[in-house]
């Protein structure tokens, strides 16, 4: 039996008040299981990032409940959320947010120096296929390689959860696939529960489960019986 990592029940998120109120989430229910790789699809503005940010403790739900294992994130203080993120969650965003004056190894070391039982930066960079690029600066790396440094940085602290918001959004399909391969390998080899937001419907074929958002709700949830290797994806 799979163990639930996140349990999300009837979550809403409203930004602003009165006439300016924006209903980003309108009652979302979802369970994410240990070791699962899910893909989150949906048009722009449908609530995908809001959902991921709430899972990752970057934002709080307006109502409903979000549990991470036995912890209630909806009632957590900012300090507790910070500790939760630091210990348990790796984030990857569309833009890599690397420090230009630090090498790949040093960018990853920024995280490993403050984590409890991290991998070595070299090991994390090896996992994303950059073992030969340790001493390169971001400007000496392609977009796809920079994103893989960002993935290495996110997983070097061995988080239980990896949350990726449009990780291939700025990449062509070939370099995007190399990034997805790195994420897939981490999910498989480390068992990291992973969620990937994307605009590219083609990516859903690599997922265990696919959540499709529309207008602040999960309009559809599909379980893939067979998964496709990222190498075979097309978009
Ligand atoms: P998606 O990731 O699917 O593009 P988002 O979760 O980013 O969608 O946004 C959902 C809705 O919430 C959009 O209408 C967006 O404009 C609004 N929204 C998101 N973040 C904020 C914010 N910080 N303040 C006000 N509105 C926001």
């Amino acid at each position: 039996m799979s163990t639930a990592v996140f349990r999300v029940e009837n979550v809403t998120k409203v930004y602003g008040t009165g006439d300016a109120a924006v209903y980003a989430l309108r009652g979302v229910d979802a369970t994410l299981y240990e070791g699962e790789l899910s893909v989150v699809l949906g048009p722009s503005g449908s609530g995908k990032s809001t959902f991921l940010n709430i899972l990752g403790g970057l934002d709080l739900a307006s109502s409903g409940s979000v549990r991470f294992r036995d912890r209630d994130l909806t009632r957590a203080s900012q300090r507790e959320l910070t500790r939760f993120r630091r210990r348990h969650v790796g984030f990857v965003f569309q833009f890599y947010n690397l420090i230009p004056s630090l090498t790949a190894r040093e960018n990853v070391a920024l995280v490993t120096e403050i984590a409890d039982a991290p991998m070595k930066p070299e090991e994390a960079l090896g996992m994303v296929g950059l073992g030969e690029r340790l001493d390169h600066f971001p400007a000496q790396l392609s977009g796809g390689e920079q994103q893989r440094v960002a993935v290495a940085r996110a997983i070097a602290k061995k988080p239980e959860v990896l949350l990726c918001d449009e990780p291939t959004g700025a990449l062509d399909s070939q370099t995007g696939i190399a990034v997805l391969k790195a994420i897939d390998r981490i999910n498989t080899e480390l068992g990291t529960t992973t969620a990937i937001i994307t605009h590219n419907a083609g990516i859903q074929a690599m997922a265990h489960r696919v959540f499709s958002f529309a207008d602040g709700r999960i309009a559809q949830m599909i379980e893939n019986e067979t998964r496709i290797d990222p190498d075979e994806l097309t978009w």
Side-chain angles (χ1 to χ4, degrees):
M1 260 266 298
S2 310
T3 308
V5 176
F6 286 105
R7 280 185 195 282
V8 177
E9 283 172 14
N10 201 18
V11 159
T12 72
K13 178 69 185 182
V14 188
Y15 291 107
T17 53
D19 286 348
V22 176
Y23 291 83
L25 297 179
R26 297 169 181 269
V28 169
D29 294 290
T31 305
L32 271 62
Y33 294 98
E34 205 168 73
E36 196 174 45
L37 189 150
S38 30
V39 158
V40 180
L41 290 174
S44 189
S46 59
K48 305 182 298 295
S49 296
T50 304
F51 174 66
L52 212 74
N53 290 346
I54 289 174
L55 289 182
L58 287 172
D59 208 344
L60 280 171
S62 302
S63 68
S65 132
V66 181
R67 300 187 72 80
F68 170 76
R69 299 199 183 275
D70 56 2
R71 197 179 313 214
D72 186 352
L73 297 183
T74 3
R75 284 175 196 29
S77 64
Q78 283 302 329
R79 177 192 284 252
E80 286 164 339
L81 284 181
T82 302
R83 206 166 55 195
F84 161 68
R85 289 195 303 268
R86 193 177 290 173
R87 286 209 166 163
H88 301 291
V89 189
F91 291 99
V92 176
F93 298 102
Q94 178 172 356
F95 300 104
Y96 329 121
N97 303 313
L98 301 178
I99 296 182
S101 59
L102 299 180
T103 63
R105 188 200 318 253
E106 289 164 346
N107 266 284
V108 177
L110 278 182
V111 172
T112 56
E113 278 164 16
I114 60 166
D116 280 344
M119 296 181 208
K120 289 200 165 66
E122 295 78 7
E123 189 187 344
L125 286 160
M127 280 206 78
V128 299
L130 291 177
E132 309 294 312
R133 298 275 193 284
L134 302 174
D135 297 315
H136 285 56
F137 290 94
Q140 299 170 319
L141 298 169
S142 71
E145 288 171 335
Q146 290 182 58
Q147 186 63 302
R148 282 188 278 148
V149 175
V151 173
R153 179 181 56 186
I155 55 103
K157 64 182 176 185
K158 299 192 220 153
E160 279 181 74
V161 180
L162 178 62
L163 302 177
C164 310
D165 193 342
E166 294 278 5
T168 62
L171 303 173
D172 61 65
S173 63
Q174 206 180 340
T175 47
I177 282 169
V179 170
L180 295 171
K181 274 177 72 168
I183 293 171
D184 186 61
R185 178 172 179 199
I186 286 148
N187 170 254
T188 307
E189 292 186 15
L190 304 181
T192 311
T193 304
T194 302
I196 305 172
I197 292 182
T198 178
H199 271 102
N200 297 313
I203 294 177
Q204 66 184 299
M206 71 179 275
H208 294 108
R209 282 201 302 158
V210 184
F211 296 97
S212 296
F213 275 71
D215 200 21
R217 294 191 176 90
I218 295 177
Q220 194 180 37
M221 195 278 286
I222 296 173
E223 203 155 342
N224 283 335
E225 282 181 15
T226 51
R227 295 172 64 202
I228 284 181
D229 192 88
D231 273 328
E232 294 163 34
L233 293 175
T234 47
W235 76 74

